[in-house]
Amino acid sequence: MPPQFILLIMGKLIINSYDEFAAHQGEELGTSEWLQVDQDRINQFADATLDHQWIHVDAERAKEESPYHSTIAHGYLTLSLVPYFWNQIIEVNNVSMLVNYGMDKFRFGLPVITGSKVRMVAKLHNIQNLRGICKTEVLIKIEIEGQRKPALEGIASFLYYFK
């Protein structure tokens, strides 16, 4: 079965080696499914992070006082969705370990208004072989359905230890 056919069936890019990964440098790796960010998810995030700022959790006050007339998701909630979306976009096999190495130049462009749908687009910005460790720098963009400007954009770095 040709690799493109597998990609369409599986819905994600399958990588089995450094060379396969490197072949995608500069390319868009994929786009995740849309995910609705509802008030329950925001409240759970507020509880987990102890960040109960009214703009996130007080719908009545936000309706009256917020410029968005609604609560909005925490910026860090939006950022925390990266692993969930990344897993929808790519499957990297033959690794003994994956390390989240860093987050660079992330900017919050637009707030995610409660009830909005978001998704991630990922592009392989750079890849390096560091003495057998695969360092990837992935340009991440979290889009909001119906908006031209992204909610979040930046570069996530991962270290893959291929077997």
Side-chain angles (χ1 to χ4, degrees), residues 38-154:
D38 60 16
Q39 190 64 54
D40 186 52
R41 183 179 310 277
I42 292 168
N43 292 344
Q44 288 179 35
F45 189 83
D47 289 343
T49 60
L50 307 177
D51 181 357
H52 293 92
Q53 189 178 154
W54 68 267
I55 193 75
H56 305 302
V57 297
D58 189 337
E60 291 305 312
R61 183 174 177 188
K63 187 185 292 185
E64 297 298 320
E65 297 181 35
S66 165
Y68 312 107
H69 305 289
S70 174
T71 54
I72 59 172
H74 303 73
Y76 289 124
L77 167 55
T78 305
L79 179 62
S80 77
L81 295 172
V82 168
Y84 171 75
F85 288 140
W86 183 239
N87 189 50
Q88 291 180 18
I89 292 170
I90 193 167
E91 179 180 318
V92 183
N93 298 316
N94 303 316
V95 292
S96 59
M97 184 169 54
L98 163 64
V99 175
N100 294 319
Y101 189 64
M103 300 288 191
D104 299 311
K105 301 178 183 173
F106 270 89
R107 298 289 181 262
F108 297 101
L110 285 179
V112 176
I113 296 170
T114 304
S116 298
K117 291 183 181 179
V118 296
R119 70 177 180 186
M120 185 171 90
V121 178
K123 178 180 179 180
L124 185 56
H125 178 70
N126 193 27
I127 187 167
Q128 297 174 297
N129 185 340
L130 305 175
R131 295 173 294 194
I133 300 168
C134 174
K135 179 184 178 190
T136 62
E137 295 175 348
V138 180
L139 179 60
I140 301 289
K141 188 185 307 183
I142 304 288
E143 300 178 333
I144 305 168
E145 188 176 49
Q147 298 292 327
R148 290 181 12 169
K149 191 173 181 180
L152 176 68
E153 192 169 15

Side-chain angles (χ1 to χ4, degrees), residues 1-14 33:
M1 196 177 305
Q4 295 84 359
F5 189 68
I6 293 171
L7 176 64
L8 292 174
I9 291 174
M10 305 289 291
K12 63 170 98 177
L13 178 63
I14 307 298
E33 297 292 322

